[in-house]
Amino acid sequence: MNSNKLPVDVRQRAQWLLGSCAGGSVGSYTAAAGIPNIVNSVSEFIRRRDGAPSYPENIYISPGSQWSITNILKLMLNSKASPRTGVLIPVPCHSTTILSIVDLGGAIVPYYLSENLGWELQVAELHRALESAKGVCKPTALYVINPGNPTGHLQTRKSIQAVIQFVAEKKLFLLADEVYQDYVHGENEFVSYKRVLAEMGPPFSETVELASFHSVSKGVMGECGLRGGYVELVNVDPAVMKHVYTLFSKDTCAPVLAQIALNVMVNPPRRGDPSHRLYTVETEHIKTTLLHNARRAYEVTNSLPGVCCQPMDGGAFIFPRLALPPKAIQKAKEAGTEPDIFYCNRLLEDAGILTAPGCQFGQREGTYHVRFCILVPVATMEELLRRLTSFHTQFMAEFS
Amino acid sequence: MSAMRWRLLAPRNVRLLDRGRSERSAGGNGAQPARALSSPPVSASPPGRTLSSLSATRRGLPKAKMSENGVVPRAKVLTIDTMNPTVKNVEYAVRGPIVARAVELERELSEGMKKPFAEVIKANIGDAHAMGQQPITFFRQVLALCSYPELLNDSTFPDDAKSRARRILQSCGGNSMGSYSASQGIDSVRQDVARYIERRDGGVPCDPNNVYLTTGASDGIMTMLKLLVCGEGMTRTGVMISIPQYPLYSAALAELGAVQINYYLNEEKCWSLDISELQRALDEARNHCNPRALCIINPGNPTGQVQSRECIEDVIRFAAKEGLFLMADEVYQDNVYAEGCQFHSFKKVLFEMGPEYSDTVELASFHSTSKCYMGECGFRGGYMEIINMDDDVKAQLTKLVSVRLCPPVPGQALMDLVVNPPQPGEPSYDNFIKERSATLSALAEKAKLTEQILNTVEGISCNPVQGAMYSFPRIIIPEKAVKEATDKGQQPDMFYCMKMLEETGICLVPGSGFGQKDGTYHFRMTILPPRDKLQILLNKVQEFHQKFTQHYS
């Protein structure tokens, strides 16, 4: 702290952060919801991002977004409930939240995203899903991922409004997983659910119950290993909030280094600060790489026979659809495995590329997909696409 | 992310797939289930929140003109009545209402309000650094190097710190602590933990595959309880916990809707554990639930007792005889002070009892980076070792931990250093030993001081603080005070502690938060403040108790 080895703004921020820690140590426990100064900085970030008020007492910092999603789900789900509490989830959807819902005794109510429309969310489909739950479970919450995982779809303002109207009408608690909000390609703009809700004004802005989740694991930080995230709760019953506090306090607190990372994420170096230049260079590089990879991956996968990839506006993955030849499907069945798992296994064995098969995320019956992560250096992306092209060509020839 | 093949559409239970664990048939007399440990909730708001502005208007978005179009505000989806009922039973005294008030007082003090004290002393939570304990230099050096590898070129860092950092970084994805690790924890760290356990236990083998790194010990404990709890009504899982206990256990059991089975530690015999009491609790519990697990904290929290080897053997025999899964919370294993006391790990004793026990008794042991001489609570580091777990269940456990992705990598790195500290001959060794000894001996001294001073006070009696970080003295509360408390709807010891807080600024946790025999009262106080402050604190407690007793006599 006393040397000149680190830039002065780094040292000042560290000093401020250490001053906010009990005993001046990152080894101390913190308040259950997080170090108050840091919670305030998160609140300010949200205010700046959305142009709408955000209150620190509605924010809880947690060890990663999944932890807070699970705690919020715990408030609603109860394994003894009869009928079971239902949560509407998108198909496709990453599996972690699904596991949490099931683990807590909830019921999954799937709503299918429209692949042909770039994985758009259609409200008519939400209605259908809700209908399908009649007599099966009691739907209580709607879970959305924006930008999507694995789809990479970025919702328009109109789409978000429609979802908000739907949950208001159908009395559902809205869970908005927005951890990929910093992975937006090109000219597209991320708009948060909170912001749209505020812009819609009353009665929506005063009644719709919303939990928005964010994390240091993605975006330009990418600090998955530190385990840091937060949830902002809007319009939650004050009596319930007391229990939110108890639930979170039982886990003592989020790791302090992660809380610090969160502070840096929401309050990075500004123009004029000594570290701003380096910060800009580093983050620009990450964003350019991501955009480049997204474009290349989209181009190349769509050029392969039987492969169709929807345009991705955001997120960290591509999720192309595979039209697998009947012979390959047959082979898979004989091996007792799903066709897309079969494809992915071969892709791994023959080309050394590890991917995730579509069945892991859910997909319409009879369709097959594969998810690739595009958060790699440009050279690695090129290598991956080269190998994929070569493998796919061979695979299709083998099973034609 | 794990390459889990997961069928979306058919919800599955993540439940314990046990084979052949005999389900005890419950008795048929329909006795009432054991009441979960609870103190009547004293309403308070979470700390750090501006109490005066906790009105509903701060909850949501700006209230423009409500009911402009005559819309009646509709009932919420999530209310006290519609929420998960088990969550409502969850209480965690260590951060409960008294802490909320303490934080409020701190704020009032900082705003210039006059109080009978200059500062609030938070002797409620086992947070060493918050109370001025210094971190171990070597650990912080390595963690700094791991966080910012540029420092590997800095000559002010010792070579052994650098080589540890390099080794840790090499086992991280992309050589960065910011990458996800495997859900079970970084491989090389688990191996180091296994070797530590073997050394600690005199050569008893440890398989790294049985080691799970966790987000503090609490995470591991919650996960294990999740696996264990199932059944309905008479077959609902019962879990035995010591009274007094660390309230994570009661909170977890309440949340999981498990049956809490209380076994009382013997205050007259220095909080020892009597097998006859275990038997009594178990037999009674069999009337209304299915007891499956026995939790024991050694060294104890809040009581500080260090169990003798014989006692540990007895507990193991009991668990074997009665078919119970043992959960051994050993986070305070380096905090042993009293002469004649020694830490014996459950694992070691189990294996020394021979294959009749070591091949059959199911055991989970927990450790953490938050206590001992490290005190690094904020890093959330920990591990658990699982012994004799059914393979199918282990597969489910591995799946379960993957839901929270991975434990914080800095915490894993720290655990690696704890189990793999500087060795004789290495540059950092001398300083490390000096710092560790200083911390542990300071704690030992403070443990003795606390017991001594508290025992001079009429109406307070304190068992020897043999280990851990707390004293849990018994206090006599005059009848008048008990009545006033009860009239207020407060537990008498909460009433006592609140008064102490208001008058002296000392924040303690009332015994009712941990459990105690009916009609007895206690408080838990940490021994963590620096010696001189502790002395002042103890004197103030003495003064307060005398005044309080006089006032209510």
Side-chain angles (χ1 to χ4, degrees), chain B residues 284-296:
Chain B
E284 196 271 340
R286 286 225 163 94
N287 291 326
H288 56 256
C289 71
N290 178 21
R292 302 179 82 193
L294 167 56
C295 300
I296 178 163

Side-chain angles (χ1 to χ4, degrees), chain A residues 147-148 150 152 180 183 185 218 290 314-318 371-375:
Chain A
Y180 290 100
Y183 283 151
H185 309 321
K218 315 296 171 186
L290 188 63
F317 309 96
I318 56 164
R371 187 188 81 166
F372 297 82
C373 181
I374 55 173
L375 294 175

